[in-house]
Amino acid sequence: MSLPYILKIETIESNKVNYIRSNTSLVQKWKTKFAKMKRPKIAFTFNGLLTSFIDKQLTMNNIAPILELDADFICLHKKDDIKNMELIPSNFQIFDIDQETPFEDTIAILQNVDLFITIDT
């Protein structure tokens, strides 16, 4: 299905309005926390929240080749949602995020990483 075709849109322009509000003190907190990371910082999600006919759950074995890259990976899942912690490599950082307000830490983290890899969630 093609949304531009259905909506009869011939050109697509990138969004220039920052409609997601971020907490500037949290952005600075994560910037400071990540300052010691000298390699590229890659935020990562590998589990969808909803179950559907399309499998949106990856195991550590599935993502192991990506985690071999010379980079620091930042998990954007809540710590309690991570299974098989013993399989997680040292370059895969898991933090207690979004404890007070949903997505507040996530937004601040995304403003401090070089790349975001995610499954279709």
Side-chain angles (χ1 to χ4, degrees), residues 15-85:
N15 178 40
K16 294 178 176 63
V17 177
N18 186 3
Y19 58 90
I20 299 174
R21 297 182 195 270
S22 60
N23 179 325
T24 54
S25 64
L26 277 180
V27 172
Q28 186 58 48
K29 168 193 161 187
W30 288 105
K31 182 177 184 173
T32 302
K33 189 172 278 220
F34 295 158
K36 65 181 178 239
M37 296 179 183
K38 301 303 177 196
R39 300 180 292 187
K41 294 176 283 303
I42 302 173
F44 205 95
T45 62
F46 52 89
N47 286 325
L49 296 176
L50 303 175
T51 309
S52 69
F53 65 94
I54 300 171
D55 188 14
K56 296 182 180 184
Q57 311 292 317
L58 297 175
T59 66
M60 281 294 156
N61 289 334
N62 295 129
I63 63 175
I66 294 172
L67 300 178
E68 291 175 9
L69 294 172
D70 186 26
D72 288 301
F73 293 88
I74 295 106
C75 181
L76 290 181
H77 293 289
K78 289 190 173 191
K79 200 171 196 173
D80 295 341
D81 295 339
I82 305 297
K83 297 176 181 132
N84 299 325
M85 294 282 279

Side-chain angles (χ1 to χ4, degrees), residues 2 4 6 11 18 34 36 45 52 55 70-71 84 93 95-96 100 106 121:
S2 172
I6 291 169
T11 60
N18 186 3
F34 295 158
K36 65 181 178 239
T45 62
S52 69
D55 188 14
D70 186 26
N84 299 325
Q93 306 297 316
F95 301 99
D96 253 343
E100 295 178 26
T106 300
T121 113

